[in-house]
Amino acid sequence: MGSIDTQVHNAFRTAVVPAAGMGTRFLPATKTVPKELLPVVDTPGIELVASEAAESGASKLVIVTAPGKDGVVSHFVEDLVLESRLEESGKSHLLEKVRRAPNLLDVESVVQERPLGLGHAVGCAEQALADDEDAIAVLLPDDLVQPCGILDLMARVRAERGGSVLCAIDVPKSLVGSYGIFHVEEVQGVAEPDVLKVLGMVEKPTLADAPSTLAAAGRYLLDRAVFDALRRIEPGAGGEFQLTDAIALLIDEGHPVHVVVHRGTRHDLGNPGGYLRAAVDSALDSPDYGPGLRRWLLERLELEETVD
Ligand code: G1P
């Protein structure tokens, strides 16, 4: 087993990124461009999650795609023609950007033939795992969780308490119906108030049925036992095989599940409103675009106030 630090470092090798959705909320753009390739400033969302996974120790990314959505995977393939053109013209900062994705980690794809839900998509990734891998990280590319590093905290909790660990955010009551919602209790004798034990989980409940306002925020560190649970669930919310239901089944069977409550930023890249916030937030932090954007936004908003 080794020390806690070794276990944290080796918590998982494979990160699974479900990217088989049709991106209907982004039509017409997603008619030809997968939503995971839409840029946050200049970097596609899928590269941001790949880089987060790599920083937390993943060496392999398994992208679950739909038939014909392989453009997502191409982003991680070297483009030697483009690279040599940039090199010849001395554009080294662009060359560095272009080389980043292919150098992050090994990327494989598996195809989810039919859109049967997030749980089914994660189940498709099992075939890409080696026999000795006992856990996976799952990162939903719609969720931008910043600053990076939540997976490291989650890995520490798994090393200390076993089982599976998820990331939670506190959402307004009006939004519980859009998320997987946790039923939690405090962990006895723990110094960290943001680590909670999960007693149950329900996908997209009504407000009356929601056990809390703590919602799953697209980062999961799952014991391999989840694949067996995924084979045993029935279609749930929306008629789809839900990852939430497999986790709820594991909990019912005594598998330890904890959450780490994320207190930083989280943007939902899955809809134009959330995506724009993410883009503006990142652009404001950028030395290239931040100062100009800030000035323009202030002017634009002041103008709006006058008009109102
Ligand atoms: C999925 C999960 C849900 C989770 C959410 C986070 O829902 O099923 O449990 O809270 O991602 O973004 P979706 O947004 O795909 O409907």
Side-chain angles (χ1 to χ4, degrees):
M1 266 274 148
S3 72
I4 288 273
D5 283 339
T6 320
Q7 286 178 53
V8 172
H9 188 69
N10 300 323
F12 59 93
R13 301 207 299 271
T14 299
V16 176
V17 177
M22 287 174 55
T24 41
R25 285 181 292 178
F26 264 108
L27 283 169
T30 44
K31 196 174 148 196
T32 49
V33 183
K35 77 173 169 193
E36 297 80 9
L37 291 183
L38 296 176
V40 178
V41 186
D42 60 5
T43 306
I46 191 119
E47 183 177 324
L48 297 176
V49 290
S51 142
E52 178 185 342
E55 266 179 41
S56 294
S59 52
K60 185 167 78 180
L61 194 74
V62 177
I63 304 179
V64 184
T65 60
K69 245 189 110 180
D70 34 11
V72 179
V73 181
S74 314
H75 182 67
F76 295 92
V77 176
E78 277 181 317
D79 184 335
L80 296 177
V81 175
L82 174 63
E83 287 183 20
S84 63
R85 214 179 287 151
L86 291 172
E87 202 156 21
E88 279 160 24
S89 51
K91 296 188 170 144
S92 54
H93 66 294
L94 291 180
L95 185 62
E96 202 183 299
K97 286 186 180 189
V98 163
R99 282 185 174 154
R100 206 162 46 198
N103 287 332
L104 281 172
L105 68 193
D106 294 333
V107 175
E108 272 180 37
S109 68
V110 296
V111 177
Q112 183 189 25
E113 293 293 343
R114 288 185 301 146
L116 296 177
L118 177 60
H120 181 263
V122 171
C124 292
E126 187 180 16
Q127 56 185 280
L129 296 193
D131 290 344
D132 65 342
E133 291 184 84
D134 59 6
I136 53 162
V138 175
L139 294 89
L140 305 189
D142 277 358
D143 289 286
L144 193 58
V145 179
Q146 290 172 326
C148 284
I150 191 76
L151 285 169
D152 298 332
L153 296 175
M154 291 160 63
R156 180 160 293 277
V157 175
R158 175 171 150 89
E160 286 166 0
R161 305 188 168 267
S164 299
V165 186
L166 285 73
C167 168
I169 50 167
D170 204 359
V171 298
K173 281 186 179 161
S174 58
L175 293 182
V176 290
S178 303
Y179 294 94
I181 300 293
F182 298 110
H183 178 199
V184 292
E185 72 172 13
E186 283 177 13
V187 183
Q188 297 303 318
V190 164
E192 301 144 289
D194 288 337
V195 176
L196 300 166
K197 186 170 169 58
V198 183
L199 303 178
M201 195 180 171
V202 42
E203 181 68 13
K204 305 196 169 72
T206 60
L207 181 54
D209 289 338
S212 74
T213 51
L214 288 178
R219 298 293 180 273
Y220 307 75
L221 178 50
L222 299 172
D223 190 276
R224 196 177 181 129
V226 74
F227 292 111
D228 178 55
L230 283 167
R231 277 187 283 275
R232 292 185 287 127
I233 55 167
E234 302 287 333
E240 297 186 336
F241 289 94
Q242 297 292 351
L243 184 56
T244 293
D245 293 343
I247 295 165
L249 177 60
L250 287 174
I251 297 168
D252 286 346
E253 294 175 346
H255 179 88
V257 176
H258 292 84
V259 286
V260 176
V261 184
H262 173 66
R263 302 288 179 190
T265 305
R266 178 258 177 188
H267 290 297
D268 180 2
L269 299 179
N271 69 80
Y275 170 84
L276 283 170
R277 283 187 197 186
V280 171
D281 201 8
S282 301
L284 284 172
D285 285 342
S286 143
D288 291 338
Y289 308 111
L293 177 64
R294 187 177 310 269
R295 272 194 304 277
W296 179 80
L297 275 175
L298 287 170
E299 271 170 37
R300 173 73 170 74
L301 294 174
E302 250 171 51
L303 213 64
E304 208 161 73
E305 272 166 24
T306 323
V307 172
D308 286 350

